[in-house]
Amino acid sequence: MSTRTFEELKDAVNNATRNSDAASLMECAEELHALATSEAEAVAHTARGVGFALGSNYPAALEHYHHALAMHEELGNRSGVARVTMNIGNVYRNSGDYHAALEQLHRALAMHQELGDRSGVARVTNGIGVVHYSTGNYPAALEHYHRALAMHEELGDSSDVALVTGNIGGVHYHTGIYPSALEHFHRALAMHEQLGDLSYVARATGNIGNVHHFTGNYPAALEHYHRALAMHEELGDRSGVAVVTGNIGNVHSNTGNYLAGLEHYRRAIAIHEELGNRSDVVGVIGNIITAMIGSGEHAEAEALLQTMDTLQIDNPHIVVQKEQSRASLQEHHGTLDEARATLRAALLIAQEHTLVPKQADIHKSLRDLALKQNDLAGYVEHNNEFTRITEEVNGKETATKMAMQEKQREIDAVQREHQKHMAVLHSTLPKHIADRVARGETVNDHHENAALIFLDIVGFTSISDRIPSGHVVHLLEQIFTTLDAVCEKHNVVKIKTIGDSYMAVSFGTANSEERTANSGHIYDAATCALEMIASLDTLVITMPPSLGETSWTNDIGEIKVRIGMHCGPVTAGVIGTARMQYDVWGDTVNVASRMESTSEPGKIHVSEAFATLLPATSSGDSFERPLQVLERGEIEVKGKGMMKTYWLE
């Protein structure tokens, strides 16, 4: 039975949608269904629709979306109707039915505008841009993307800003503006990494591979493709796996390894067919035909071309590629006039859509045909056009490559600066806190029941008086490095050192569900403290020879410490700018400090609150380690009066 309210479940659905978490969406749908209200059922159908769409099960997604749409209409929920209509449009777009997609998206846009929902308007505007992009209408796509980007930036929708930035990069890539494409893809990648949008990190990585592929840097292309493929496989994103697998096939085909290219194409098309990605299926078929012709498999290529003729194709790149393949087969059969007519028709399409490289390819093929037919005028005409366009493209490519090199240097410089910044953060703050600071978060957390550890080295003042200052630093470094390793092992966060004192805390935020109910972090802190004493008991003090006489290390004996522990509410946060520090505050910290100052050498002094919550064992360990506390009795604690305390053993 669900313990979450309707509003909580709606928020959970929104979060799962943003994170592309299909499993969480289905869980939310079950809980919503159990609420047995019309509103909850409508949201449940939407959640299931999104979940099925993420898995590319478009028929099931549409079925649930239409159920949700009918229920929202019955409830008079115009906002819900608008959102689901947009989702339906996106499904049609992903399955290649662009006419239906535009119809639904424009309907959703009108509703969001009527409702004054700026965020909804921005998302639908981006969706319309994606449809135009998919059909090769790049000016319209770019117009919609920039309009959507401006709205998302104004609204502060970070995830959507990253998404649209990548989409703009896609337009620049397909129109040959490669430096700008690379810049947008890298910018999108950085934003998605910062937001933790793993699915889009994989997509942006693949897009960077596309730029390297088209500019002839095949090793870099394969490196990015394989990195993206691994991420898509880890996420279970079958559609992403298929796209990247097809792109790897393109690299192999372009380098003349047609067998490897065909192997990857067949693998990709099998997944696209299984998922119902119609437009992607058509694109891969075109690539397979080209590879088959290159490897001499003309009969197989011809059979596939006949299949392709029965499919609706909206992308002008694929249409031109198909006609070029047809002309190659006609030339192979010796029907040169038919091949010439086919190429002229393809040339018109390439000119209409400003596909300049395709125009050059077609003029070259027409020139070669004219030579075979002894058509001198035709040869001169097409050779002149081929030469003119090639020179234009080559000149552009040369400038592009130079600009790309400069852009890559800029990107590398920014990344190096970012890495330096992160290195400084990680050297001064715990990793999970440093990552939050890097994302621009203000770290100001409340923990209801944290476990504090205070440790002090017994007799350290006397030791430090007897040895050189350089030796003191090395001694403390060995002691504190040992303690750091123990804390990391037990999921305890080191807070700071003050002189020869050491402070750490267990918040209970990691793997807490695998620990004893609500007190696993108390056990973690206790076992950490016990291992601190054990590790220092066996610590062998060594000093570098460069420090000179160090015979005192033979006389120092065991390093003895006093430890005090208490648990309760604390505030944790980062203070400072130039020299940031992560610290915890509250009365719990003061009491833990008092437990340490009233402890004894080699012992762990704990409060009654800590002893009460301490479980005897933890099922989270690979073995059970029994713990016990012995009552010390009542002692006077400064600022607290008499307190009952215990020894931890």
Side-chain angles (χ1 to χ4, degrees):
M1 183 175 178
S2 173
T3 58
R4 290 187 284 184
T5 66
F6 173 63
E7 292 300 326
E8 288 172 337
L9 285 168
K10 275 208 309 183
D11 289 340
V13 168
N14 290 334
N15 288 331
T17 300
R18 279 194 296 271
N19 296 323
S20 302
D21 188 346
S24 295
L25 284 163
M26 295 304 183
E27 290 174 9
C28 290
E30 289 296 325
E31 292 187 47
L32 285 161
H33 179 72
L35 294 178
T37 67
S38 297
E39 281 184 309
E41 194 62 32
V43 178
H45 279 299
T46 301
R48 288 193 176 99
V50 176
F52 282 121
L54 288 170
S56 300
N57 187 344
Y58 300 130
L62 283 175
E63 179 182 348
H64 283 285
Y65 283 152
H66 282 296
H67 279 304
L69 187 65
M71 298 188 78
H72 282 307
E73 286 175 339
E74 185 178 334
L75 290 165
N77 183 357
R78 294 285 293 164
S79 179
V81 170
R83 286 195 302 271
V84 175
T85 302
M86 179 183 69
N87 290 344
I88 292 171
N90 290 337
V91 168
Y92 282 128
R93 181 198 71 211
N94 289 335
S95 58
D97 190 345
Y98 301 121
H99 176 76
L102 282 176
E103 181 183 345
Q104 295 292 327
L105 290 172
H106 278 293
R107 188 179 303 165
L109 181 64
M111 285 187 276
H112 282 299
Q113 288 172 332
E114 181 184 334
L115 292 165
D117 180 0
R118 294 272 292 164
S119 182
V121 169
R123 287 196 299 272
V124 178
T125 300
N126 175 63
I128 293 171
V130 174
V131 176
H132 287 306
Y133 169 84
S134 301
T135 57
N137 189 349
Y138 300 125
L142 203 58
E143 177 189 348
H144 283 83
Y145 288 156
H146 278 293
R147 198 182 304 162
L149 181 64
M151 286 186 278
H152 284 309
E153 287 177 335
E154 179 186 332
L155 294 166
D157 298 333
S158 301
S159 182
D160 290 302
V161 167
L163 177 64
V164 180
T165 298
N167 289 345
I168 292 172
V171 173
H172 289 310
Y173 162 70
H174 278 290
T175 53
I177 311 173
Y178 301 121
S180 181
L182 196 63
E183 179 184 3
H184 280 81
F185 288 150
H186 273 289
R187 194 184 306 162
L189 176 64
M191 286 188 280
H192 288 308
E193 286 177 335
Q194 187 174 341
L195 292 165
D197 296 336
L198 299 183
S199 177
Y200 290 109
V201 167
R203 186 183 302 181
T205 301
N207 285 335
I208 292 169
N210 289 339
V211 177
H212 288 303
H213 177 202
F214 206 84
T215 54
N217 189 347
Y218 298 126
L222 284 176
E223 178 190 343
H224 283 84
Y225 285 154
H226 282 294
R227 196 182 306 162
L229 182 63
M231 286 188 275
H232 284 303
E233 287 175 336
E234 185 178 345
L235 291 165
D237 180 2
R238 299 274 290 159
S239 183
V241 168
V243 170
V244 177
T245 300
N247 288 339
I248 294 172
N250 289 337
V251 174
H252 289 306
S253 292
N254 287 346
T255 54
N257 189 350
Y258 297 115
L259 288 178
L262 286 169
E263 178 187 344
H264 282 83
Y265 289 149
R266 291 187 176 109
R267 201 179 304 162
I269 203 169
I271 302 173
H272 283 312
E273 286 176 339
E274 175 191 331
L275 298 175
N277 296 341
R278 188 175 68 186
S279 58
D280 292 306
V281 167
V282 173
V284 178
I285 289 175
N287 291 334
I288 289 175
I289 292 171
T290 301
M292 283 180 168
I293 293 172
S295 62
E297 300 176 43
H298 296 95
E300 294 86 346
E302 197 151 16
L304 264 184
L305 186 62
Q306 290 175 4
T307 300
M308 201 171 181
D309 284 336
T310 66
L311 303 174
Q312 178 183 339
I313 305 173
D314 299 291
N315 191 313
H317 286 274
I318 299 174
V319 173
V320 172
Q321 181 185 18
K322 180 184 74 168
E323 295 309 308
Q324 286 179 290
S325 296
R326 190 190 313 281
S328 295
L329 290 169
Q330 289 167 340
E331 184 177 351
H332 173 71
H333 291 304
T335 55
L336 303 186
D337 288 338
E338 291 181 14
R340 182 172 59 185
T342 299
L343 287 171
R344 286 188 178 277
L347 181 61
L348 291 175
I349 299 171
Q351 289 170 337
E352 178 186 352
H353 292 276
T354 324
L355 308 179
V356 178
K358 286 290 186 186
Q359 293 175 39
D361 288 343
I362 296 169
H363 278 298
K364 181 177 181 296
S365 297
L366 285 168
R367 181 200 68 181
D368 295 344
L369 273 177
L371 184 63
K372 284 186 178 182
Q373 294 181 305
N374 296 318
D375 179 3
L376 181 59
Y379 178 87
V380 171
E381 173 194 349
H382 294 296
N383 185 63
N384 287 343
E385 283 300 292
F386 169 70
T387 302
R388 180 185 64 79
I389 296 173
T390 301
E391 288 177 352
E392 178 184 315
V393 171
N394 284 344
K396 180 182 178 183
E397 285 181 349
T398 301
T400 296
K401 287 178 181 178
M402 291 175 63
M404 278 190 66
Q405 290 169 358
E406 180 59 32
K407 183 57 64 179
Q408 189 63 54
R409 283 193 288 269
E410 292 176 15
I411 291 168
D412 291 342
V414 170
Q415 289 179 337
R416 284 194 298 271
E417 199 61 33
H418 176 70
Q419 289 167 356
K420 288 179 184 176
H421 175 63
M422 290 304 298
V424 171
L425 287 179
H426 285 144
S427 68
T428 56
L429 304 173
K431 183 180 183 306
H432 67 288
I433 298 299
D435 291 340
R436 290 174 61 187
V437 171
R439 292 196 295 267
E441 290 185 36
T442 298
V443 181
N444 183 7
D445 304 323
H446 176 75
H447 297 272
E448 191 58 39
N449 194 28
L452 271 294
I453 301 174
F454 269 85
L455 176 149
D456 183 73
I457 302 172
V458 177
F460 189 81
T461 302
S462 173
I463 295 172
S464 61
D465 285 343
R466 303 195 328 256
I467 63 178
S469 58
H471 295 205
V472 173
V473 174
H474 278 275
L475 175 60
L476 284 175
E477 181 181 10
Q478 289 184 69
I479 293 171
F480 290 154
T481 299
T482 300
L483 298 178
D484 289 349
V486 175
C487 286
E488 184 173 356
K489 177 181 175 181
H490 292 276
N491 192 36
V492 172
V493 179
K494 171 189 176 181
I495 299 299
K496 60 185 174 183
T497 61
I498 306 173
D500 61 326
S501 298
Y502 188 98
M503 176 182 173
V505 60
S506 178
F507 292 118
T509 55
N511 299 323
S512 58
E513 58 272 11
E514 298 176 7
R515 300 296 188 182
T516 304
N518 300 323
S519 58
H521 66 294
I522 305 290
Y523 180 89
D524 287 341
T527 54
C528 179
L530 287 166
E531 190 164 337
M532 283 177 166
I533 290 179
S535 63
L536 293 179
D537 283 344
T538 58
L539 178 64
V540 178
I541 301 299
T542 59
M543 291 284 147
S546 59
L547 291 180
E549 174 59 35
T550 59
S551 58
W552 62 266
T553 58
N554 299 322
D555 304 322
I556 193 173
E558 293 180 349
I559 299 295
K560 289 292 184 182
V561 297
R562 284 186 299 265
I563 294 180
M565 304 182 72
H566 180 52
C567 60
V570 299
T571 297
V574 175
I575 56 174
T577 53
R579 298 181 64 183
M580 286 187 252
Q581 180 181 348
Y582 182 61
D583 210 342
V584 294
W585 304 274
D587 189 60
T588 301
V589 179
N590 297 329
V591 174
S593 177
R594 299 287 183 264
M595 292 297 101
E596 179 273 322
S597 63
T598 53
S599 184
E600 296 177 2
K603 290 192 173 184
I604 302 171
H605 189 205
V606 304
S607 66
E608 185 175 21
F610 188 96
T612 301
L613 290 177
L614 178 66
T617 61
S618 171
S619 59
D621 282 352
S622 58
F623 64 94
E624 291 194 348
R625 177 184 299 164
L627 301 177
Q628 61 178 338
V629 290
L630 300 179
E631 184 174 339
R632 182 183 187 181
E634 290 195 344
I635 64 169
E636 184 171 0
V637 176
K638 183 179 178 181
K640 290 292 179 181
M642 301 302 292
M643 290 182 65
K644 183 187 289 188
T645 62
Y646 297 79
W647 298 117
L648 171 66
E649 297 184 357

